[in-house]
Amino acid sequence: MDGFITFWSTETRGNAGPPTSDDGGNGSLGKIRFDGTDSRGMNITASGIEQCKFNPRTGKFYLNIPATGADGSGPGVVVVISAEAPFHVEKSFTIPLATGCTGPAGMAIGPEHQILLGCGGTTSLIIDDRDGGIIAALGGETSDEAWYNPGDNSYFLADDLKLGVVDHTGAEDLTTQTALGSHVVAVDMLKNQVYVPINNNPAEGGASHICGNNGGSDSLGCIAVYTAKNDDHCLAEGMPVLDHDDGDDPVFMRTRCGDDRRADRDDHDR
């Protein structure tokens, strides 16, 4: 398995200069190999690479490596990567197998200093983005991809046949039926609508008929839209969102409670 990540400019689709050995000779901004030989990757040998996120709170990239070692028997790690060239791993957080997380896959940047790790095994985790310390263990929750919605202060975890919902305290709100292979989730923070792609698998085991039962086609598949109940009235302070004005600096959401819910302060809440 070729275990590496490559950095590209969204403006130039590469760097301004000619290809170099550092970028793999392809005009990218840089590459980190996770094959045990690259000091920029802390000589980590990755058995697979999963979801990554940019954290506006720290200004770093975070990347899930579900297992380590040539045979994949080592624990998963979360690596913290510099946001500027020369790109390199600055530190890593080991996720012990004893936690029940046998492979961090999904990742969602949450409020305060939280990062949710959607895991294989039996337990997903909420960790601290500063040191990797475990804030909450979510027993029974597993996930491939994950999402945090500041609109209702909840995490969403997508996995086979189910969509898990967890609030920022680690309380597991509910589990909703999806379909086999529904491993992706996205949420509209303004409408509090949750979107899950449903495969065309009506004949497979565990078929949910979500598409056919809601005006769609089981044979073609669909995008299922779930409505998230806003039962957490206060947004946790510190949730970073991108500034839509200039795209450079993060805006940190404030707690929407008490006086902050007055109309004259609404513009400061989001």
Side-chain angles (χ1 to χ4, degrees):
M1 178 183 295
D2 291 329
F4 65 88
I5 58 174
T6 306
F7 298 85
W8 297 88
S9 168
T10 58
E11 296 177 345
T12 66
R13 299 184 183 179
N15 57 29
T20 67
S21 59
D22 183 65
D23 62 27
N26 57 13
S28 65
L29 298 178
K31 176 183 288 189
I32 299 175
R33 297 187 306 276
F34 293 102
D35 60 1
T37 68
D38 192 345
S39 60
R40 290 169 297 185
M42 293 182 66
N43 299 113
I44 293 171
T45 300
S47 180
I49 293 175
E50 287 286 350
Q51 195 168 2
C52 66
K53 290 286 185 178
F54 176 73
N55 187 347
R57 200 160 42 227
T58 62
K60 309 293 181 182
F61 293 106
Y62 289 68
L63 172 70
N64 274 336
I65 293 177
T68 52
D71 61 356
S73 63
V77 297
V78 178
V79 295
V80 183
I81 302 171
S82 60
E84 297 180 354
F87 299 102
H88 61 284
V89 174
E90 295 183 349
K91 54 185 174 181
S92 67
F93 308 141
T94 298
I95 308 301
L97 295 173
T99 62
C101 174
T102 58
M107 177 179 288
I109 305 297
E112 300 163 339
H113 284 281
Q114 295 182 11
I115 297 179
L116 179 133
L117 304 180
C119 298
T122 60
T123 305
S124 291
L125 302 172
I126 299 175
I127 67 170
D128 191 306
D129 65 10
R130 296 166 292 186
D131 57 13
I134 296 174
I135 296 173
L138 311 174
E141 294 287 356
T142 57
S143 172
D144 188 354
E145 301 299 296
W147 194 282
Y148 174 73
N149 176 31
D152 62 4
N153 212 21
S154 295
Y155 295 104
F156 294 85
L157 301 92
D159 208 351
D160 277 330
L161 302 173
K162 66 179 183 178
L163 176 67
V165 184
V166 178
D167 72 19
H168 75 287
T169 68
E172 300 174 42
D173 288 349
L174 54 86
T175 297
T176 300
Q177 183 185 24
T178 57
L180 194 66
S182 294
H183 291 186
V184 179
V185 60
V187 186
D188 185 315
M189 64 178 284
L190 299 181
K191 296 180 179 179
N192 285 334
Q193 290 182 337
V194 184
Y195 307 101
V196 179
I198 305 295
N199 291 336
N200 57 337
N201 60 357
E204 295 184 14
S208 59
H209 302 290
I210 288 174
C211 301
N213 290 342
N214 292 277
S217 168
D218 285 333
S219 62
L220 296 177
C222 64
I223 303 295
V225 182
Y226 299 85
T227 300
K229 180 181 179 182
N230 187 2
D231 59 354
D232 295 314
H233 298 295
C234 302
L235 300 184
E237 187 171 2
M239 166 59 194
V241 295
L242 296 180
D243 185 346
H244 294 290
D245 295 330
D246 56 29
D248 295 325
D249 300 321
V251 172
F252 293 92
M253 300 184 73
R254 301 299 181 221
T255 306
R256 297 179 59 200
C257 297
D259 291 341
D260 284 343
R261 300 175 75 182
R262 293 185 307 183
D264 61 346
R265 298 190 183 184
D266 282 350
D267 290 341
H268 298 284
D269 291 337
R270 294 186 181 276

